[in-house]
């Protein structure tokens, strides 16, 4: 009997034609080609992320994901619960969005590729390709979503559209963009698919309460299994991104509408309610092993997730129960939705009263995600900025071509279909409509969510395509291929052209291939230079000034705490929060602020302060400012001193030792920096006289005296001249030109909005165009990244012969990193009435210490000792004049002395006595050939673009600046030096 059956089956298969087989399997080769194309598009820029000694990534968060992945590799399957290597001096309970399922999957892949013991390079390589893999794999659930809603051919069409769009869902999935974003989209599309399928199964199988009460598991098996899978998918999505609780909130809105619609239209709400209860109960259970906090928060699995998941599940059960009660009491059907609305209002009021913290958190996040409610500080992050309503059309076109219009048309068509379908409407189609509306609001509120909106756009296009095929009655089987009509072919071709032409060349402004190729590691290249230097030339945390101390374990496991007790010799690195992950991962040092937006207010306050004393107080008080950092700008110096005086021994020992500043902080990013603390950005701009080309001058808007005196500007543009506790220890050999641009008009020279910005190739091209009328001014050229060490400083003290107070100046000549430039540090103070003076200087005249001693191997070295003289410096460029010429330009030089400062003195705060003698005695027989030049008057220093070092051309080399740092010339001039002249001049 069995052999006869096998013979019949073999004959049946052999009788099938190739066309029959193609009909069953055509989607496999077609999808394979599309998926291969998608993967190639997403990895084509891979070589840009490779450098000689390692692999870099795009953006900031990707580097911290590498840290989490590497930790998971070493501690598989666990992720890091607490990290003291960021947010000094408190540490950070990372969890949540980092150390999530995304990192665990990448770590598992690295272990497989590395045969259980992957090298750092293997881990970095796997993470490099991870976003491209996730982005490509997202095509699979997109295909099944299209197939679910409109058939197999429509599923293929959805992937076809996906393969061509150049928007955010593509750029987040390119090689090197190693963030969790595309993993969110991948797991979200799976969750949507599973929920839609569970709703379809429930509509078909019609599970009701009686079946549950009777334990008729055979009948309930299919809807129960489908619902459990939906719950698992939702949980996996939230494991990847805990703030994805927003999806559960959207499901809550959907179930409220769907169950109400079921009852009004005479359909039992039990069917969809069964899916909600079972799926979300499953999700609730799966959240337990990922719990990160027992408070209300959104960035990790917490009470927020538990509460909302439970509330929606209970809400579904309540609505199903209320419908039965409504029937039993024979109440008006129309009153049911009103009763539900009233119950929701009462529940929200009770929630607000009983758990106000949780209520405020949820309401605040709803506003931030759905209602254009981002804060000013939130808007300093590019990906969370809203889309201007006047630019929605152009923005949508850039994201999706014309497929967004077909999606909009499909949305209205599908909605009208639901309205007129009566009790035959499909709940899963309503789900698609609700999700599309909410994802649209999310995308317009925070543009990062365009990779969410892309999913319903693809599915709605698939649904539209399926409807067109139905309307045209296009043959889709082999038997009917001969019946196809010309108009059907033309219509399908027109649909394909509508989708394809705006997304492929030559008419598309940007294709998927070109958009994916416009990526690279960006600024991380320059920061990697500084971070690598820091890792090799500064003491490991735990050994600063404590060489016998034990270095902190970089991949150690630490207990979660609100305020980590750092060991003696640990220290922080002050910089803007954007760069925190680079400092942690590439530099293996501990930043004060990070891209988790932890510590931005103290950083903002420090960078903006115009007084070194206050800057020191901010850093000293930082270990006690966690709860007050939002108000740090309002604290007086006296209040800061009081905070410092009340610190515990632990807090007093948690010092910030380095400051890192780059070109963007000093230019384009300064405006966002001002939004967190201190004055408004407009307070740093004023009208001044600037020197233009050809000896012309003009009164134009530029950065004013207040900006020039900020700690940020004094460190970046002025090499910390006059500061007592900050010495430059490293700067990148790459330079950046920063300038302002004016417009030449018939009425004269007028300022533009391009003020204190980085010079880009596009701006340079415009300036060189003689027809543009653009005129550069206030041109400065500096190293891209500068690193300072915060030291106690050595005190130079002495006395001069005078009957009145007078000025005393000290200066020393220094060589920059790799002798790339030479510049001078100087400081001026006033003596007392008896002629006594003292000043604290940060640079040693000889380098004798290094990381093995608990200190820094500085790349900036003194080439002279300190020269101390009475009077102040005239407006001279110290890097271009020799010592003798400078002495001749001193204001009232009468006495002079020399001082050697050993390196231990600047760390221990030692005092050094300077013996002063009359200038005539000093110059009579004491000037040697070596001393007359001091290595300053060389061609290399006057032509390499670094000779001016931004100190003598920007109006800040006055007595006030060299002293307290509060004064500057009222007239600012900006001479273009040799290097920047070459870069800017037409």
């Amino acid at each position: 009997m069995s052999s006869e059956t096998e013979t019949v089956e073999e004959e049946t298969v052999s009788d099938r034609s190739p066309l029959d087989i193609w009909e069953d399997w055509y989607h496999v080769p077609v999808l394979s080609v599309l998926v291969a194309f998608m993967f190639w598009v997403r990895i084509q820029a891979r070589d840009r992320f490779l450098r000689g000694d390692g692999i870099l990534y795009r953006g900031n968060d990707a580097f911290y994901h590498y840290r989490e992945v590497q930790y998971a590799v070493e501690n598989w399957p666990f992720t890091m619960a607490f990290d003291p290597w960021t947010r000094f001096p408190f540490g950070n309970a990372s969890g949540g969005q980092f150390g999530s399922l995304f990192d665990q999957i990448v770590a598992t892949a690295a272990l497989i590729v590395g045969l259980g013991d992957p090298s750092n390079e293997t881990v970095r390589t796997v993470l490099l390709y991870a976003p491209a893999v996730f982005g490509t794999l997202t095509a699979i659930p997109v295909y099944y979503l299209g197939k679910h809603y409109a058939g197999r051919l429509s599923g293929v069409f959805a992937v076809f559209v996906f393969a061509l769009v150049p928007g955010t869902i593509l750029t987040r999935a390119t090689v090197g963009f190693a963030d969790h974003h595309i993993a969110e989209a991948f797991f979200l599309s799976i969750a949507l698919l599973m929920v839609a399928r569970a709703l379809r199964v429930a509509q078909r199988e019609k599970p009701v309460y009686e079946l549950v009460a009777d334990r008729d598991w055979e009948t309930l098996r299919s809807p129960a299994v489908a619902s459990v899978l939906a719950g698992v998918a939702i949980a996996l999505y939230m494991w990847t991104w805990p703030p994805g609780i927003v999806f559960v909130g959207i499901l809550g809105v959907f179930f409220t509408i769907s169950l109400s619609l079921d009852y009004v239209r005479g359909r039992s709400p039990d069917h969809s309610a069964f899916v909600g209860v079972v799926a979300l109960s499953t999700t609730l259970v799966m959240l337990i092993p990922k719990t990160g906090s027992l408070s209300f928060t959104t960035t990790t699995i917490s009470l927020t997730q538990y509460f909302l998941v439970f509330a929606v599940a209970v809400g579904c059960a309540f609505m199903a129960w209320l419908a039965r009660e409504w029937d039993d009491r024979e109440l008006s059907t129309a009153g049911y939705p009103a009763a539900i609305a009233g119950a929701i209002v009462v529940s929200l009021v009770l929630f607000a009263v009983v758990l106000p913290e949780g209520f405020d958190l949820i309401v605040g996040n709803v506003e931030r995600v759905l209602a254009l409610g981002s804060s000013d500080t939130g808007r300093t992050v590019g990906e969370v900025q809203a889309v201007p309503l006047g630019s929605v059309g152009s923005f949508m076109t850039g994201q999706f071509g014309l497929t967004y219009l077909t999606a909009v048309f499909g949305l209205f068509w599908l909605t009208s279909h639901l309205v007129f379908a009566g009790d035959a409407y499909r709940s899963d189609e309503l789900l698609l409509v609700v999700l599309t509306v909410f994802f649209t609001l999310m995308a317009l509120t925070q543009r990062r969510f365009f990779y969410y909106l892309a999913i319903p756009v693809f599915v709605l296009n698939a649904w539209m395509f399926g409807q067109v095929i139905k309307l045209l009655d296009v043959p889709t089987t082999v038997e009917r291929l001969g019946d196809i009509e010309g108009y059907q072919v033309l219509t399908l071709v027109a649909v394909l052209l509508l989708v394809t032409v705006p997304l492929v060349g030559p008419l598309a402004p940007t294709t998927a291939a070109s958009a994916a190729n416009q990526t690279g590691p960006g600024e991380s290249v320059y920061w990697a230079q500084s971070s690598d230097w820091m890792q090799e030339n500064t003491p490991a945390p735990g050994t600063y000034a404590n060489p016998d101390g034990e270095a902190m374990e970089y991949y150690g496991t630490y207990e979660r705490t609100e305020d980590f007790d750092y060991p003696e010799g640990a220290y922080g690195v002050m910089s803007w929060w954007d760069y925190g992950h680079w400092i942690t991962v590439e530099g293996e040092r501990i930043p004060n602020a990070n891209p988790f937006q932890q510590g931005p207010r103290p950083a903002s306050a420090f960078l903006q302060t115009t007084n070194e004393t206050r800057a020191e107080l901010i850093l000293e008080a930082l270990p006690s400012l966690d709860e007050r950092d939002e108000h740090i700008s309002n604290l007086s110096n006296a209040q800061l001193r009081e905070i410092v005086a009340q610190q515990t021994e632990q807090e007093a020992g948690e010092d910030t030792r380095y400051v890192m500043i780059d070109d963007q902080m000093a230019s384009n990013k300064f405006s966002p920096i001002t939004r967190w603390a201190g004055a408004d950005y407009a307070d740093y701009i004023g009208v001044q006289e600037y020197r233009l080309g050809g000896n012309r001058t003009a009164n134009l808007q530029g950065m004013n005296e207040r900006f020039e005196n900020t700690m940020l500007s004094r460190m970046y543009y002025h090499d910390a001249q006059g500061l007592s506790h900050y010495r430059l220890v490293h700067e990148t050999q790459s330079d950046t030109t920063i300038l302002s641009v004016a417009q030449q008009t018939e009425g004269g020279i007028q300022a533009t909005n391009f003020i204190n910005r980085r010079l880009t190739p596009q701006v340079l091209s415009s300036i060189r165009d003689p027809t543009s009328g653009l005129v550069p001014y206030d041109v400065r050229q500096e190293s891209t990244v500068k690193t300072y060490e915060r030291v106690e400083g050595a005190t130079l003290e002495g006395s001069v012969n005078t009957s009145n107070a007078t000025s005393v100046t000290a200066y020393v000549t220094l060589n920059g990193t790799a002798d790339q430039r030479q510049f001078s540090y100087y400081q001026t103070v006033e003596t007392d009435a008896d002629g006594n003076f003292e000043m604290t200087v940060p640079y040693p005249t000889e380098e004798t210490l290094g990381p093995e001693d608990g200190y820094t191997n500085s790349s900036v070295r003194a080439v002279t000792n300190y020269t101390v003289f009475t009077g102040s410096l005239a407006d001279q460029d110290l890097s271009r004049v020799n010592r003798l010429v400078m002495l001749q330009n001193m204001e009232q030089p009468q006495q002079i002395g020399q001082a050697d400062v050993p390196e231990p003195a600047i760390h221990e705060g030692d005092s050094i006595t300077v013996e002063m003698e009359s200038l005539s005695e000093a110059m009579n027989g004491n000037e040697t050939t070596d001393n007359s030049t001091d290595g300053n008057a060389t061609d290399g220093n006057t032509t390499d673009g670094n000779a001016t070092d931004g100190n003598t051309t920007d109006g800040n080399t006055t007595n006030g600046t060299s002293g307290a740092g509060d004064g500057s010339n009222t007239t600012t001039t900006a001479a273009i030096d040799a290097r920047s002249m070459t870069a800017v001049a037409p």
Side-chain angles (χ1 to χ4, degrees):
M1 185 71 172
S2 60
S3 59
E4 291 178 355
T5 303
E6 290 176 3
T7 302
V8 172
E9 289 178 352
E10 289 176 2
E11 291 176 354
T12 302
V13 172
S14 63
D15 289 342
R16 300 187 66 207
S17 68
L19 288 177
D20 292 326
I21 298 175
W22 172 257
E23 180 181 339
D24 291 339
W25 298 99
Y26 74 88
H27 60 289
V28 174
V30 174
L31 288 174
S32 298
V33 171
L34 290 173
V35 166
F37 170 74
M38 291 173 64
F39 187 66
W40 170 81
V41 165
R42 285 155 177 75
I43 67 168
Q44 58 183 316
R46 57 193 178 278
D47 291 342
R48 294 181 190 159
F49 295 90
L50 308 178
R51 59 174 186 152
D53 55 346
I55 295 173
L56 296 177
Y57 304 105
R58 179 182 174 185
N60 312 101
D61 290 348
F63 286 84
Y64 201 81
H65 276 294
Y66 166 72
R67 174 163 172 75
E68 289 283 6
V69 169
Q70 185 64 59
Y71 180 90
V73 166
E74 297 183 12
N75 299 273
W76 195 89
F78 301 104
T79 56
M80 193 181 303
F82 183 83
D83 189 6
W85 283 81
T86 189
R87 196 198 175 199
F88 186 87
F90 306 105
N92 174 56
S94 52
Q97 304 171 63
F98 296 81
S100 67
L101 181 61
F102 168 74
D103 303 291
Q104 290 174 308
I105 291 173
V106 176
T108 303
L111 285 167
I112 294 172
V113 173
L115 301 178
D117 186 23
S119 64
N120 290 344
E121 183 180 3
T122 298
V123 176
R124 281 186 178 263
T125 302
V126 172
L127 182 61
L128 179 72
Y129 284 92
V133 173
F134 273 105
T136 303
L137 290 178
T138 305
I140 297 174
V142 166
Y143 162 74
Y144 281 106
L145 278 166
K147 179 182 178 183
H148 171 86
Y149 280 102
R152 188 172 53 175
L153 185 59
S154 295
V156 174
F157 184 76
V159 177
F160 174 70
V161 174
F162 187 6
L164 296 181
V165 296
T168 305
I169 196 167
L170 168 66
T171 57
R172 289 296 194 272
T174 52
V175 65
F177 201 102
D179 209 335
H180 52 74
H181 297 169
I182 193 59
E184 292 174 44
F186 173 71
F187 284 106
L188 176 63
S189 59
I190 294 176
L192 173 57
L193 173 63
M194 293 295 102
V195 174
R197 282 192 166 183
L199 290 169
R200 178 80 63 84
V201 172
Q203 187 168 346
R204 182 181 68 241
E205 301 294 335
K206 295 179 173 53
V208 292
Y209 173 74
E210 286 75 13
L211 293 174
V212 177
D214 293 340
R215 299 183 181 182
D216 189 353
W217 306 127
E218 186 65 28
T219 304
L220 292 173
R221 178 180 300 160
S222 293
V225 170
S227 299
V228 168
L229 291 176
V232 170
I234 295 170
L236 292 178
Y237 164 61
M238 293 174 63
W239 282 11
T240 305
W241 194 58
I245 188 62
V246 66
F247 180 62
V248 175
I250 296 172
L251 288 179
V253 175
F254 158 73
F255 280 117
T256 301
I257 297 173
S258 179
L259 299 183
S260 298
L261 196 59
D262 282 342
Y263 185 77
V264 170
R265 291 188 172 180
R267 199 163 80 182
S268 174
D270 284 12
H271 312 330
S272 295
F274 179 88
V275 174
V277 172
V278 174
L280 293 172
S281 296
T282 303
T283 300
L284 197 64
V285 173
M286 288 193 63
L287 292 181
I288 294 175
K290 278 290 189 176
T291 302
S293 173
L294 294 179
S295 61
F296 281 95
T297 181
T298 58
T299 56
T300 189
I301 302 299
S302 67
L303 292 182
T304 304
Q305 283 76 10
Y306 284 115
F307 178 82
L308 283 179
V309 172
F310 179 76
V312 175
V314 171
C316 290
F318 171 78
M319 290 185 69
W321 169 82
L322 185 62
R324 291 171 176 272
E325 293 296 317
W326 215 262
D327 282 340
D328 291 344
R329 290 169 172 75
E330 298 181 352
L331 299 176
S332 171
T333 302
Y336 177 80
I340 294 299
I344 292 174
V345 171
V346 171
S347 299
L348 290 176
V349 171
L350 289 175
F351 181 30
V353 172
V354 177
L355 296 171
E357 178 186 356
F359 180 81
D360 292 342
L361 177 70
I362 292 173
V363 171
N365 278 275
V366 168
E367 292 179 351
R368 187 172 61 87
V369 173
L370 295 173
L372 302 176
S374 298
S375 64
D376 287 340
T377 51
R379 290 182 185 277
T380 64
V381 185
E383 68 180 31
V384 302
Q385 292 181 358
V387 177
L389 295 181
S391 305
V392 170
S394 60
F395 208 92
M396 287 284 193
T397 302
Q399 290 282 323
F400 307 116
L402 295 183
T403 61
Y404 90 92
L405 291 176
T406 53
V408 169
F409 186 74
L411 179 65
F412 283 106
W413 190 351
L414 181 57
T415 303
S416 64
H417 174 73
L418 292 171
V419 170
F420 297 107
D423 62 355
Y425 87 98
R426 283 170 43 183
S427 298
D428 55 324
E429 292 182 339
L430 176 62
L431 173 65
L432 180 59
V433 171
V434 172
L435 278 175
T436 303
V437 172
F438 275 96
F439 286 175
T440 301
L441 290 174
M442 290 170 62
L444 296 180
T445 304
Q446 294 187 18
R447 58 188 63 183
R448 61 168 293 197
F449 289 120
F450 270 98
Y451 57 79
Y452 279 26
L453 180 57
I455 297 170
V457 166
F458 301 151
V459 178
L460 284 170
N461 273 275
W463 188 85
M464 273 287 297
F465 188 72
Q467 296 305 306
V468 170
I469 291 177
K470 287 181 180 179
L471 285 176
L472 296 176
D473 192 26
V474 178
T476 57
T477 61
V478 172
E479 293 81 2
R480 294 189 57 206
L481 281 180
D483 299 333
I484 193 167
E485 301 288 342
Y487 75 91
Q488 295 171 326
V489 174
L490 292 175
T491 303
L492 291 179
V493 170
V495 171
L496 291 175
L497 289 177
L498 181 65
V499 171
T500 306
V501 171
L503 295 176
V504 300
L507 297 180
T510 302
T511 65
S514 61
N517 201 32
Q518 296 172 7
T519 187
E523 299 298 324
S524 65
V525 173
Y526 306 115
W527 272 82
Q529 298 173 16
S530 293
S531 299
D532 289 349
W533 176 89
M534 177 165 277
Q535 185 179 153
E536 297 172 0
N537 294 279
T538 63
T543 65
Y544 190 97
N546 184 32
D548 296 328
E550 184 177 352
M552 291 177 60
E553 189 176 353
Y554 186 60
Y555 283 113
T557 299
Y558 300 89
E559 292 185 7
R560 186 189 299 266
T561 178
E562 292 297 321
D563 188 357
F564 185 75
D565 288 338
Y566 284 89
E568 179 184 355
Y571 57 87
V573 179
M574 174 58 73
S575 188
W576 188 230
W577 64 264
D578 288 12
Y579 310 106
H581 293 339
W582 294 349
I583 294 170
T584 296
V585 177
E586 295 299 291
E588 296 190 6
R589 298 298 179 262
I590 313 173
N592 296 99
N594 58 41
F596 298 130
Q597 292 197 9
Q598 294 172 329
R601 285 188 173 87
S604 175
F606 171 83
L607 294 170
Q608 289 184 76
T609 187
T610 57
N611 181 279
E612 185 180 15
T613 299
R614 182 172 177 81
E616 287 289 281
L617 286 172
I618 290 172
L619 295 185
E620 290 174 11
L622 186 59
S624 308
L625 286 178
D626 186 32
E627 296 181 357
R628 310 185 226 193
D629 63 353
E630 186 172 351
H631 311 291
I632 188 170
S633 296
N634 299 325
L635 295 174
S636 66
N637 284 4
Q639 290 173 311
L640 290 171
R641 287 190 181 95
E642 183 179 355
I643 291 171
V644 173
Q646 295 176 353
Q647 285 180 335
T648 65
E649 182 178 354
Q650 174 67 37
E651 291 172 333
E654 294 173 335
D655 293 320
T656 294
R657 289 298 182 183
Y658 296 91
V659 180
M660 300 182 76
I661 297 179
D662 79 337
D663 53 347
Q664 293 197 75
M665 293 166 61
S667 58
N668 302 51
K669 288 187 178 181
F670 184 67
S671 176
I673 287 173
T674 63
R675 298 186 191 181
W676 290 87
D680 294 333
Y681 179 67
D683 295 330
Y684 293 100
I685 297 178
V687 177
Q688 304 172 77
E689 185 180 48
Y690 291 93
R691 181 180 301 161
L692 309 177
N695 294 321
R696 294 180 299 166
T697 61
N699 290 323
L700 299 167
Q701 278 194 329
M703 308 309 292
N704 61 20
E705 177 181 339
R706 183 172 189 167
F707 171 77
E708 301 298 347
N709 287 325
T710 61
M711 291 295 288
L712 186 155
S713 178
R714 294 175 74 180
M715 288 186 179
Y716 188 73
Y717 290 120
H718 311 304
D719 295 322
Q721 297 293 357
L723 299 183
S724 299
H725 303 288
Y726 298 87
R727 65 161 180 160
L728 182 66
V729 290
H730 181 263
E731 57 185 345
T732 58
Q733 296 189 43
S734 58
D735 292 329
T736 297
T737 299
I738 298 173
L739 75 166
S740 300
V741 176
Q743 178 72 55
Q744 177 73 60
T745 66
E746 294 182 358
I749 300 289
Q750 296 181 355
T752 65
N753 290 328
F754 197 93
I755 298 174
N756 194 49
R757 298 296 183 91
R758 293 192 306 168
L759 179 67
T760 64
Q762 294 81 4
V763 174
L764 177 59
S765 177
S766 298
I767 292 175
R768 286 177 169 172
D769 182 358
T771 65
S772 69
L774 297 180
V775 181
Y777 65 97
D778 194 19
V779 181
R780 320 184 195 198
Q781 193 160 33
E782 300 289 343
S783 300
T784 307
V785 185
K786 294 186 176 184
T787 302
Y788 285 86
E789 182 182 16
R790 177 175 173 240
V791 296
E792 187 70 22
T795 299
L796 303 182
E797 58 183 16
S799 62
V800 298
N801 296 324
T802 180
S803 57
N804 298 301
T806 188
S807 298
V808 174
T809 299
Y811 83 94
V812 63
T813 303
L814 304 140
N815 274 348
T817 301
D819 297 334
Q820 70 184 61
R821 70 182 178 113
Q822 199 168 83
F823 65 99
S824 291
Y825 166 86
Y826 60 92
Q827 185 179 163
T828 299
V829 297
E830 297 293 317
T831 69
D832 61 19
D834 297 325
N836 298 316
F837 70 88
E838 63 178 35
M839 65 180 75
T840 302
V841 295
Y843 287 97
T845 54
E846 55 185 42
E847 298 281 344
T848 58
L849 302 176
E852 66 279 1
D853 306 301
Y855 295 106
T856 307
N857 179 26
S858 176
S859 294
V860 178
R861 304 295 179 98
V863 294
T864 66
N865 55 10
Y866 279 89
T867 298
V868 185
F869 58 89
T870 54
S872 59
L873 289 175
D875 189 12
Q876 294 296 317
D877 182 350
L878 298 184
S879 62
R880 294 191 180 190
V881 298
N882 62 35
R883 181 181 176 189
L884 181 60
V885 173
M886 190 190 70
L887 291 175
Q888 293 171 349
N889 284 275
M890 292 176 185
E891 296 180 357
Q892 303 175 345
Q894 297 173 356
Q895 300 172 63
I896 192 168
Q898 306 290 325
D900 288 321
V901 178
E903 188 169 6
I906 69 166
H907 296 296
E908 299 169 6
D910 292 345
S911 296
I912 298 170
T913 301
V914 182
E915 298 294 335
M916 303 294 290
E917 57 183 342
S918 67
L919 182 61
S920 59
E921 293 177 354
M923 297 186 65
N924 185 19
N926 290 325
E927 280 300 323
T928 65
T929 302
D930 292 337
N931 289 334
S932 65
T933 61
D934 283 339
N936 290 317
T938 63
D939 293 341
N941 292 320
T942 59
T943 60
D944 66 359
N946 288 295
T948 62
D949 72 45
N951 295 317
T952 62
T953 60
D954 54 21
N956 284 287
T957 56
T958 66
N959 297 345
T961 299
S962 60
D966 295 326
S968 67
N969 292 339
T970 56
T971 301
T972 300
T973 59
I976 302 177
D977 61 25
R979 181 166 46 186
S980 58
M981 177 71 80
T982 303
V984 175

